[in-house]
Amino acid sequence: MSEETPAMRAPLAGALTNNETQNLPVVIGVDLGGTQIRAAVLRGAELISRVAQLTGEDTAPEHLIPRIFNAIQQALDEARTTLEQVAGIGIATPGPLDHRTGIVYAPPNMPGWDRVPLRDIFEQHFSPANKGGDAAQLRIFVENDAHAAGLGEYLFGAGRGCSNMVYLTISTGIGGGVIVDGKIVEGANGTAGELGHMTIDRHGGRCRCGNYGCLEYLASGTAIARYANEAIAAGQGVELLEFARALQQHVQEGNELELPAHEAAGVGYEGSPGNLEAPRITAHMVSQAAQAGIPLARAIITNAAEAIGVGLVNVIHIFNPQVIVLGGGVTQMGTMLMEPALRIVQERTMKVPLDAVRIVLAELGRNAGLVGAGALVYYYMQM
Ligand SMILES: [Zn+2]
C-alpha cells in the first residue's frame, strides 16, 4: 500500500502453505453478530456452504441459539456432509467474553445476553450422548469476533507467513486482534486487543466504553456519521445536507444505493428513506460527499484518518508487528482515508519498528468473520 514500507520478508514457520490448506479437515464456522447470524462449512478459507440470516430484534439467547443450531444444520445439508465429518465448531461473537471458559458476558449489541455459557450450551447440544452414539465429543471454540477475524487473516489472509501481526477492523465500531509470536494475545480474562478503545485524545468526548477520546469515538463509521450530523445540527453542513438529500431522492426514485461490499449495515446507508426534511447522514454518505469534493465531508474523513494514523503509531510502538492488517467497511474508503493515516505513521513512528512493518488491507473481505471462526478450530486443535 505504501511504497515506503519494505517489501515482504521471507515467510516464517507457523503459517500454512496452500498445499497444507488442502489437507485441512472440514470445520464449521459460526459468525454471530448484531446484524447477521452466519454459519458455514469450511476448509481453510474455502467456504463449502454458507447460511446467513438477519439476527432480528429478538436477540435473547433462548431464541437466538436454537436458530444458530438450525443454521448449522442447514449449512451441513447444503455442504452434503454431516457432523461426524467435521473436526470442530468455531464461534465468533461480539465480546467481552472469555474464550477459556466460553462464557459470553454482555455484548452491547446483543441485548438479553448476560454471562451466557455459550460453549457449554453448544457442547450439550452436540453431545454424542444426545445422538445415542459413542462418537467423540465435538470440540467447540468461542472467541471474540475481532480476534477470530485477525486469526483468519493470520492463517489464511493478509497475515500469512508472519508471526507478529496486528489486525485492526474499522466499521461501526473498531476492534482488534493481536498475534504475538504466533499466539493470539488474550490477556488476564480475554479482553486484550481492544485497539478501538486506546486513548487518542485525552480531552476527547466520552466513548460508549466509559473512556474518553478513544480511537473508536474519533474514527469509527459511527463517529464519522456523528460528526456530520453534529455539523449539520450546528448549521455548518448546508452543502453536505443538500448532497444527502439528492442521494436520498435518488434512492426514493428506486435506484439502488451502492454499498461497499463489507459491513453495509452500520457503515452504509441505514433506515428507510422516508423523511426528506432531515436525512440521517451515514458514514457512507460522508464518504461519497468527500469523493464529490464537499469540504466538510473531506475534513471529517481527514480527521478520522489522522486519528487512525495516531492509533497505528501506537500499535507499531507497542507491538513492533511485521504486518498490520486493516479490515472493516471504513478502510474501503481508499486513498482519502489511507493517505492522511500513512502520512502520520511516516512522520511519527520510530525508525526501527517503522522499517519492519507493512500496513496492508485485509484479504478475506466479507467472509473474514466466518473464516476466522473456522480458523479457531485449526488454531486451538493445532492442525
Ligand atoms: Zn472507548
Side-chain angles (χ1 to χ4, degrees):
M1 171 168 311
S2 158
E3 315 82 75
E4 294 93 337
T5 52
M8 187 175 178
R9 281 156 175 70
L12 299 174
L16 296 159
T17 66
N18 285 339
N19 277 344
E20 285 168 327
T21 302
Q22 282 159 15
N23 297 328
L24 286 171
V26 167
V27 299
I28 292 170
V30 175
D31 185 15
L32 187 53
T35 310
Q36 283 198 332
I37 305 171
R38 300 186 301 165
V41 174
L42 311 103
R43 177 180 282 110
E46 179 207 349
L47 272 74
I48 301 166
S49 67
R50 178 180 179 275
V51 174
Q53 301 173 358
L54 290 177
T55 308
E57 295 285 300
D58 184 5
T59 58
E62 62 270 30
H63 298 134
L64 203 55
I65 293 171
R67 290 178 54 207
I68 303 169
F69 294 151
N70 286 336
I72 289 174
Q73 190 53 54
Q74 224 181 308
L76 286 166
D77 293 345
E78 281 180 24
R80 293 164 201 264
T81 186
T82 61
L83 269 183
E84 287 68 35
Q85 309 302 313
V86 304
I89 301 178
I91 309 166
T93 101
L97 60 85
D98 191 335
H99 86 97
R100 280 159 289 207
T101 58
I103 292 174
V104 179
Y105 296 101
N109 54 353
M110 305 274 281
W113 286 57
D114 185 18
R115 299 186 63 86
V116 175
L118 195 60
R119 187 180 65 203
D120 289 354
I121 292 170
F122 268 68
E123 278 182 353
Q124 180 78 32
H125 181 82
F126 293 106
S127 161
N130 285 345
K131 311 265 185 281
D134 54 359
Q137 171 70 51
L138 191 64
R139 299 288 302 277
I140 315 284
F141 303 95
V142 178
E143 186 59 270
N144 169 316
D145 46 12
H147 288 193
L151 186 69
E153 290 288 342
Y154 168 68
L155 289 179
F156 306 116
R160 274 191 320 273
C162 73
S163 52
N164 289 281
M165 184 202 99
V166 174
Y167 174 72
L168 184 68
T169 172
I170 310 174
S171 58
T172 14
I174 297 184
V178 178
I179 307 276
V180 171
D181 294 336
K183 294 219 156 56
I184 305 175
V185 177
E186 297 284 357
N189 54 8
T191 73
E194 285 288 3
L195 303 178
H197 301 285
M198 71 172 112
T199 305
I200 302 295
D201 175 6
R202 75 185 172 93
H203 303 295
R206 186 101 195 240
C207 179
R208 68 185 172 99
C209 74
N211 187 18
Y212 293 83
C214 292
L215 182 59
E216 178 172 300
Y217 182 83
L218 298 169
S220 61
T222 311
I224 290 168
R226 190 188 68 242
Y227 285 121
N229 286 298
E230 280 172 4
I232 285 167
Q236 295 155 0
V238 178
E239 215 182 342
L240 178 57
L241 195 57
E242 273 169 13
F243 182 86
R245 282 202 179 115
L247 211 57
Q248 201 169 49
Q249 189 68 48
H250 189 67
V251 172
Q252 282 199 327
E253 285 164 6
N255 300 302
E256 281 282 311
L257 189 64
E258 235 181 80
L259 287 174
H262 306 295
E263 305 286 343
V267 176
Y269 184 82
E270 280 175 354
S272 60
N275 181 1
L276 272 184
E277 291 306 307
R280 198 186 147 278
I281 312 292
T282 63
H284 186 57
M285 286 177 180
V286 180
S287 162
Q288 287 181 303
Q291 236 128 33
I294 294 174
L296 173 65
R298 290 207 84 100
I300 290 170
I301 301 293
T302 302
N303 202 52
E306 289 179 351
I308 292 166
V310 173
L312 291 172
V313 173
N314 292 339
V315 163
I316 297 167
H317 285 162
I318 295 168
F319 297 109
N320 182 201
Q322 290 163 286
V323 177
I324 299 177
V325 178
L326 301 177
V330 171
T331 59
Q332 301 299 308
M333 286 183 190
T335 320
M336 65 181 174
L337 188 88
M338 294 317 299
E339 215 162 62
L342 293 177
R343 176 174 46 77
I344 295 270
V345 169
Q346 290 296 328
E347 284 170 5
R348 300 190 184 187
T349 311
M350 288 190 247
K351 186 174 185 321
V352 173
L354 179 62
D355 286 347
V357 73
R358 289 182 300 125
I359 299 173
V360 299
L361 289 179
E363 286 180 3
L364 299 177
R366 57 203 280 270
N367 292 321
L370 280 171
V371 174
L376 295 170
V377 179
Y378 303 121
Y379 174 76
Y380 285 115
M381 293 181 77
Q382 301 188 328
M383 287 163 163

